[in-house]
Amino acid sequence: MKITRKDFLRISGLSLLAAGCKRAAESVSQPASSVRAASTQPVRWGMVIDLSKCREKDGCNACIHACNAAHNIPQIANHAHEVKWIWTEPDATVFPSAQTDFAPQTVTETKVPLLCNHCANPPCTRVCPTQATWKRDDGIVMMDWHRCIGCRYCVAACPYGSRSFNFEDPRPSIESINPDFPTRTKGVVEKCNFCEERLARGLKPACVDACPQRVFTFGNLADPESEPRQLLRERFAVQREPELGTGPSVFYLV
Amino acid sequence: MNALYSLLAVLALVLAGFACGQGAPARMVLATFVPYAAFAALLIGFCWRVARWAFVPVPFHIPVTCGQQKSLVWIRFAKIDNPSTRWGVVSRMAAEILLFRSLFRNNRARLSGGRLILGESASLWLCSLAFHWTLLLIMLRHLRLFLEPVPAFVNALERLDGYFQIGVPPLYFSDVILVSAMTFLLFRRFRDPALRYLSLFSDYFALFLLLAIAVTGILMRYFTRVDILSVKQFALGLAAFRPGASQALSALFLCHLLLVCALAAYLPFSKLMHMSGVFLSPTRNLANNSRSQRHINPWNAPVKTHAYVEWEEEFRDKMQAAGIPLEIENETEDAGNARTN
Amino acid sequence: MLMLDKALKGSRRYWMWLLCLLCVIVAGLCFYLRQLNQGLGITGLSRDVSWGLYIAQFTFFVGVAASAVMVVLPYYLHREKQFARVTILGEFLAIVSVIMCILFIFVDLGQPSRVLNIILYPSPRSLMFWDMVSLSGYLLLNAIVAFVTLRAEREETPAPRWIKPLAILSIPWAISIHTVTAFLYSGLAGRSFWLTAILAPRFLASAFSSGPALLILLCLALRKLTAYDVGKDAIRKLAVIMTYAMTINVFFVLVEVFTVFYAAIPEHTVHFEYLYLLGGGHNLAPWMWVSAIFAIAALVILFTPAWRRTQLPIACILVFTSLWLEKGLGLIVGGFVPSPLGAIAHYAPSLPEWTIVAGIWSVGAFLITVFYKIVLSVREEVES
Amino acid sequence: MRDRVWIFAGLAFFVAALTCPAWYAVANGKASNKSKPPNLELPANQKECVAPAGTMRAAHMQMLIQWREDVVRHGDRRFVAFNGKVYEKSLTRTCLGCHNKEQFCDRCHAYSGVSDPYCWNCHNDPQTVAGSRTRSTP
């Protein structure tokens, strides 16, 4: 098969040109222009976690299992090398500054689900030296595992411990690989991506769908009529360490 | 002028390559006949040159070297720079061939305030070293096209060369180093008036030709793209004496091929023969032991000598008769005495 | 003949030393290849302590590199002639330190094959980008200044005029490399241990004492091993610089300690408690106390007139070790433990990690030996 | 005189190195069929790729990188092919949906001496993954 001049022009010239223009455009307008930017309505994906519902079914890890299966998250025995996208910690650990001296033990010891907060002003994307992690126009803090050099500056910058580093090859520690989602390679940082790949297909995040208690409410925070916004209007919610000015998009109903 | 002519010559070759890419008969000639002719020229020419050198007598044992020669036991001598044994010579040759030892001594003479200064000049050594090593690496990498199955070391070289993930296909660092080193070597000749005066057509031609080969190769790999499958088929066909050019081979590839053929055919008749010549340089490949061993040149014609002792012997009677004092009064008794004198 | 040729002619002792260093380098390289193959899991690093010995060593050697300014500044700006024989040694020390810094960063990367992404996708919002710019610029500046002046010296011609502006430019640049390195840490909202404006001044103070301490030790070693003497004046001046920088450094640490403990915000105190609380089972605490005691001991020696000259080598070793422990170990690990979620994760560098670090130290020692050898041979040749 | 042995030995080595492709072919016993390309298994269920075969051969890597940038960084997953067909920009779903990695990608890469790209460090081959899954679960 001969490559005609037309082919040559199309594949090399145009793609190079297009890539160059795109690069130039990106550098001028700071955040990468996403397709959704074209739509008139702004989007900021967010999540509300109802802890009272979660407390009702203590010890249920359906959300974690769903996430692990969907994203090929390795189950590494060595705690030091663990990879976590969504996991649970005691209430006192998650909200250290929101504890009162005489709070009931049931509250302080309840397990609270944690995940990346997809901050409005994320410290991790600020420090990344290669723009391997960045905030999309729809508020999702994304990771580009092709570009990450593994410097772990974002791990140091994240105040929520949401980022994990692949200290070893994750593949041997994955029970069954979901071919639709890439595994990661050793030496890159990863974290929750708000199931960006499911959102693109019009689905809700895996944890949201998997929860039997409907603890998670996911939606567009920029839309005043969305489900999470209605919940936040009705009930008192907290964010993790709001005093750091990061503006988490994950809210907890206590 | 020399530079311009050689540039034009290389450009003519490039154009010829492109022109061959257009017509089917020309393609056939270029893809089947030319490589064999060039390769035959390379092999025969190379062997012929080396064989001729092998039969040239080395007239002297040339001790022109650097460093202290081996002499008295308490004087430290340069074992590698001025070897006295065969192993010393081997290490000196290795330093010369692998590290360009003698070029390492290069310095640039200049006048400053009426004073001659032999200044630093690391760039020539560094760039030529970089150029030659990357050229070797690139040639070894090309073996992937000629050998099936591809040997593991060729794959390893390829992975190492493209280790840093820059673009697709990954950028080879050897390509970058080769082209920048060659550009330096070229501009070195333009920059210095003395060097420009010394440079001949052949100096520029070799540089331009190699540069053109590198550039066409780089263009193919990173910009216009080439169907590597047909290239490999073509290369394997050449090796198996079953040549045949697929239609998928682009004009640029044929151009690259023609330039390589030109280089191969030109090599035995050019200064590029320093490739084998370096092994035969007598100032490098001979041990400097002429003080401890007598080297007799086997080709020397026998020289008729007539020493004083012989002369005295011849005229002994006449000298004695004339009362002229003799060095050796009596052959048998005073021989030792005379020797001490 | 190239100046590099001078490095090829040396005594047996010189070659043995280089050979020993080469062995350590090879050992480090072997472990590094293993790290490349298996990932950073072979180090002592963990999810909670994601930076360790490598980055700590990087930070420490940025300081050593920056300290070259302490000889360049008096020599080029104040024309202090005492520094004539030591300035170039300081510059080469800076060059070698920056090379070591780059190596420490490189071995810390999880995906070293993508390291050039820092240049391919430059991100001016990241301080790591600026650190790369400032470090490579500093390396270039020092390399040009050192090699060009040395070459001029060898050719017995005056150094070109444009060298002086470059040397003077390297002064603020030296300040910038360590300031930017401090900003790497002090700009992180979640890490309260580093979240203090005094971090950059502290870094500079510790740099200006650890760097001269190392330089004095190197000069003394040169005096002992070779005929080269930088002169008493130069060493005394360097010692004075080291003394005051160390004093300021200790003062800065105490200022920090006061603020943290008097304000008593748990987020801030926990890190100090982790680092200094003996008996808490924290493996770092004894070393931090060694660092503190060494610092005090060094100051006592340096401020006692009878000792400051006779015991100078010991004082230098104390200063260097103290700061190496404080900056090359405590500062980075202390920032990670306890983690933002309150987890106390113990960090102890593993054998591969130590060996790789030793390998990089040996690269540094190898390069400094070769560079100093060239400098000394050139000076010897010119003087004879 | 004695040196001629060395010179001709060196020359013989050089000639042998230069002609190694021919010897290699003989040694591997494939002189008869060695110039044949590898047997690349083409998908049975599809006749057309996302671009003409020549383009794909020469520039599939560039296209994959372009897709990667589009999907990961711009959320753009729709690819309109030269013939107007619409595909999803996905290595696993689109490319490997038809092609077999081992019998297509790997074979050609091995033949042309292109070492395995880092794609496979993370991206999965659905067929081998499915195979291992059935093996591991009894």
Side-chain angles (χ1 to χ4, degrees), chain B residues 1-4 6-7 182-197 199 204 207-208 211:
Chain B
M1 259 316 158
N2 282 333
L4 190 64
S6 52
L7 180 62
M182 287 199 70
T183 312
F184 169 82
L185 294 175
L186 193 63
F187 275 90
R188 188 183 74 98
R189 290 188 182 274
F190 293 150
R191 192 187 53 190
D192 188 350
L195 209 58
R196 205 161 52 221
Y197 180 72
S199 300
Y204 291 115
L207 277 172
F208 279 126
L211 209 52

Side-chain angles (χ1 to χ4, degrees), chain C residues 21-347:
Chain C
L21 291 176
L22 211 60
C23 290
V24 184
I25 294 172
V26 169
L29 195 66
C30 290
F31 274 114
Y32 180 64
L33 290 178
R34 215 177 107 190
Q35 185 187 303
L36 264 188
N37 186 30
Q38 298 180 7
L40 279 155
I42 68 163
T43 64
L45 296 170
S46 63
R47 197 177 186 282
D48 290 322
V49 187
S50 55
W51 281 343
L53 196 59
Y54 297 146
I55 293 293
Q57 294 299 296
F58 154 77
T59 313
F60 180 74
F61 276 98
V62 171
V64 175
S67 74
V69 75
M70 285 292 120
V71 286
V72 171
L73 188 135
Y75 182 65
Y76 282 100
L77 215 55
H78 300 288
R79 293 158 202 259
E80 296 274 357
K81 288 283 169 259
Q82 300 99 315
F83 281 124
R85 286 169 73 84
V86 77
T87 302
I88 204 159
L89 299 184
E91 282 163 352
F92 274 114
L93 182 60
I95 292 171
V96 170
S97 304
V98 176
I99 292 172
M100 287 171 78
C101 290
I102 292 169
L103 288 175
F104 279 122
I105 289 286
F106 190 79
V107 298
D108 187 65
L109 293 181
Q111 284 283 331
S113 61
R114 298 180 187 162
V115 59
L116 290 163
N117 280 0
I118 298 183
I119 298 161
L120 295 175
Y121 308 103
S123 322
R125 266 153 52 101
S126 171
L127 276 155
M128 208 170 274
F129 171 79
W130 292 108
D131 215 30
M132 188 235 3
V133 169
S134 64
L135 273 177
S136 46
Y138 190 64
L139 178 64
L140 200 68
L141 269 181
N142 269 288
I144 292 173
V145 172
F147 277 105
V148 169
T149 49
L150 187 64
R151 184 166 144 176
E153 216 170 283
R154 194 173 96 88
E155 293 169 358
E156 295 175 61
T157 50
R161 280 188 166 186
W162 48 265
I163 273 301
K164 204 177 162 184
L166 279 193
I168 288 171
L169 176 64
S170 80
I171 296 168
W173 207 292
I175 309 288
S176 87
I177 62 167
H178 219 19
T179 308
V180 173
T181 307
F183 286 174
L184 274 183
Y185 310 110
S186 65
L188 304 180
R191 307 280 169 184
S192 39
F193 184 60
W194 300 326
L195 189 66
T196 161
I198 210 165
L199 200 67
R202 239 181 95 182
F203 270 27
L204 286 171
S206 69
F208 295 157
S209 49
S210 62
L214 183 59
L215 194 55
I216 293 172
L217 287 173
L218 288 173
C219 289
L220 294 177
L222 284 185
R223 191 159 69 189
K224 202 139 208 170
L225 298 170
T226 69
Y228 191 77
D229 187 2
V230 296
K232 272 194 186 125
D233 279 351
I235 288 187
R236 206 176 54 225
K237 283 232 156 166
L238 276 175
V240 170
I241 291 169
M242 174 181 80
T243 309
Y244 285 100
M246 190 64 187
T247 317
I248 295 170
N249 180 50
V250 170
F251 172 67
F252 282 169
V253 174
L254 293 176
V255 166
E256 182 78 51
V257 167
F258 166 78
T259 313
V260 165
F261 282 102
Y262 195 80
I265 301 170
E267 254 178 54
H268 292 256
T269 54
V270 283
H271 296 283
F272 281 88
E273 281 163 6
Y274 169 72
L275 283 180
Y276 288 97
L277 207 63
L278 284 168
H282 306 331
N283 51 2
L284 265 181
W287 293 109
M288 295 316 289
W289 280 106
V290 168
S291 163
I293 291 163
F294 276 18
I296 303 298
L299 284 185
V300 168
I301 292 174
L302 289 169
F303 278 113
T304 310
W307 291 341
R308 82 170 59 128
R309 197 162 308 165
T310 53
Q311 305 301 324
L312 183 61
I314 293 178
C316 287
I317 292 171
L318 289 175
V319 165
F320 189 80
T321 320
S322 161
L323 292 173
W324 184 80
L325 286 168
E326 185 204 316
K327 214 163 150 192
L329 212 58
L331 191 99
I332 301 304
V333 179
F336 280 100
V337 192
S339 79
L341 292 179
I344 305 263
H346 287 294
Y347 167 74

Side-chain angles (χ1 to χ4, degrees), chain B residues 240 242, chain D residues 25-26 28-35:
Chain B
R242 228 187 308 281
Chain D
V26 172
N28 278 287
K30 288 187 189 165
S32 52
N33 64 349
K34 67 191 283 294
S35 59

Side-chain angles (χ1 to χ4, degrees), chain D residues 64-107:
Chain D
L64 282 171
I65 291 293
Q66 192 58 51
W67 280 18
R68 171 184 109 181
E69 294 286 302
D70 289 347
V71 172
V72 178
R73 302 203 73 90
H74 310 294
D76 171 13
R77 291 174 155 84
R78 230 172 81 98
F79 178 71
V80 184
F82 66 111
N83 53 9
K85 277 194 183 172
V86 176
Y87 294 94
E88 188 190 356
K89 290 176 180 167
S90 165
L91 170 66
T92 325
R93 270 196 283 272
T94 305
C95 305
L96 297 182
C98 299
H99 291 288
N100 182 304
K101 173 181 173 283
E102 271 160 26
Q103 275 142 31
F104 187 79
C105 312
D106 291 354
R107 243 179 226 179

